[in-house]
Amino acid sequence: MNGPIGVLVMAYGTAGGPDDVERYYTDIRGGRPPTPEHLRDLQERYAAIGNRFPLLRITERQAAAVERTLNGGGRGGPAFRAYLGMKHSPPFIPQGVARMRGDGIERAVGIVMAPHWSGMSIETYVERVERAVAQDGGPACTFVRSFHDHPAFVAFLGDRVAGALARLASAEREGATVIFSAHSLPVRTDPDGRQWCKYCTLCEEACRYPMGLGETADLVAARLGLDAEAYSTGWQSAGRTADPWFGPPVEDVIRAAADRGRTAVVVCSAGFVADHLEILYDLDIEARRVAREAGIAFGRTEMPNDDPAFIEVLAAVIREHLAAEGVAAAPPP
């Protein structure tokens, strides 16, 4: 196979503006519109962050930067060409596959802008790509399924956490604790009391999603020399359903830290790589309010977005994945 390798950069999607909120959440809910009360609450949350909907724009910048970085900034023909595919908003994943097909891309790698694997998240992106290829044709695709423990990602998060701790006042920093968070998912509990992602049956000995978050936390903490009292994990942004979700929620972890006499919390939202509602509202407004009420200082790490250091992480992950698959990019002409 000759020609550039396609890089399908995938993300969850976003409402395009206040008038698109109902459409977006109806898509998330499998065609079931949110209740009027739920819709009103969502609209109020977006209004509280200035009706900003930055995820698509950030993901576009991430994809463009990954392409430039993989191509080494050269002026010759590209060895890589990036495409965008969103799960719940345009351009949808099948549209990204169609664009690759139209450009004659024969090989591609898919990467989801989410570091931690779960059958309820990463595999659903993979399924959408494979379904689109099976129905209408497209490139031969392989997939990066996680990068939560990649040394470059761990180093990147370590720098982010160190920066957030440094921004605290010295008295607050002395007794601070770091909370590593990711998006909660609905759970099922087996007869032995173990919890698993509710709709995933791919894990065998233990649910890999919470394990992955714990591994990220442990690796970053070890890099920074944090002791066991100085960090923990928590879950954020649980949906409003009757199902139980992974816990404890970040808000409860903050309250527990205050009860233990900690002076500050720094939230490292390790499961997200861009600013959006779950960061700008759930953390910057809700979690900050909980910390203020508990009487402790609050900080969070800056999100990766299209920071060149993070783009280098993604490029390294993609290169190593392709090398492991035995795929080499064609040199520029």
Side-chain angles (χ1 to χ4, degrees):
M1 296 183 186
N2 297 314
I5 295 173
V7 180
L8 183 59
V9 176
M10 295 177 282
Y12 197 73
T14 178
D19 295 338
D20 192 39
V21 171
E22 183 172 11
R23 191 280 318 161
Y24 172 60
Y25 283 91
T26 298
D27 194 274
I28 290 173
R29 291 161 55 87
R32 296 176 294 108
T35 65
E37 295 78 16
H38 188 197
L39 178 60
R40 183 166 54 252
D41 176 69
L42 289 166
Q43 291 170 331
E44 289 172 353
R45 288 171 178 245
Y46 281 110
I49 63 170
N51 276 324
R52 287 180 286 165
F53 302 82
L55 181 63
L56 176 59
R57 185 174 66 256
I58 292 169
T59 312
E60 288 173 337
R61 294 202 306 263
Q62 289 172 329
V66 164
E67 179 181 291
R68 288 194 303 272
T69 302
L70 287 171
N71 286 324
R75 296 178 178 271
F80 295 89
R81 187 174 296 168
Y83 297 82
L84 207 62
M86 311 297 271
K87 191 174 180 183
H88 294 292
S89 63
F92 292 99
I93 290 170
Q95 292 175 302
V97 173
R99 290 190 178 108
M100 289 194 291
R101 183 173 61 249
D103 287 345
I105 299 294
E106 298 180 344
R107 300 171 297 177
V109 55
I111 182 167
V112 182
M113 294 295 96
H116 301 87
W117 182 91
S118 96
M120 285 183 62
S121 61
I122 304 302
E123 291 307 310
T124 61
Y125 291 84
V126 173
E127 289 166 2
R128 291 177 190 221
V129 174
E130 291 180 338
R131 189 182 310 128
V133 171
Q135 289 176 349
D136 299 308
C141 293
T142 60
F143 301 92
V144 173
R145 282 179 158 83
S146 75
F147 54 92
H148 72 276
D149 58 350
H150 191 283
F153 182 61
V154 171
F156 176 85
L157 287 186
D159 290 345
R160 283 294 205 251
V161 171
L165 288 169
R167 288 191 292 273
L168 296 173
S170 57
E172 298 165 347
R173 192 182 318 129
E174 185 68 25
T177 189
V178 180
I179 304 170
F180 295 90
S181 69
H183 201 301
S184 186
L185 292 175
V187 301
R188 57 184 170 85
T189 303
D190 69 16
D192 295 325
R194 298 177 300 177
Q195 289 189 322
W196 312 75
C197 298
K198 183 172 183 180
Y199 303 106
C200 172
T201 58
L202 299 177
C203 298
E204 296 178 357
E205 299 301 322
C207 184
R208 288 155 54 190
Y209 186 52
M211 288 177 60
L213 179 60
E215 288 169 358
T216 301
D218 290 343
L219 289 167
V220 176
R223 181 178 180 86
L224 296 178
L226 302 179
D227 62 36
E229 282 295 308
Y231 78 99
S232 58
T233 59
W235 300 94
Q236 62 174 94
S237 311
R240 298 188 173 191
T241 70
D243 297 316
W245 289 61
F246 279 120
V250 164
E251 295 84 356
D252 287 357
V253 181
I254 292 172
R255 295 185 184 100
D259 290 343
R260 297 197 313 272
R262 309 301 292 190
T263 56
V265 293
V266 165
V267 180
C268 175
S269 194
F272 296 105
V273 300
D275 285 312
H276 43 59
L277 187 70
E278 284 80 357
I279 305 301
L280 302 174
Y281 184 87
D282 294 356
L283 294 186
D284 286 356
I285 294 178
E286 283 294 314
R288 187 182 300 274
R289 175 186 59 79
V290 169
R292 183 173 61 250
E293 292 173 352
I296 59 175
F298 176 87
R300 72 160 172 89
T301 54
E302 295 179 12
M303 298 309 294
N305 294 329
D306 60 337
D307 185 298
F310 178 60
I311 300 304
E312 290 287 354
V313 171
L314 295 177
V317 168
I318 291 168
R319 289 190 191 102
E320 291 175 20
H321 168 80
L322 290 172
E325 293 289 325
V327 177

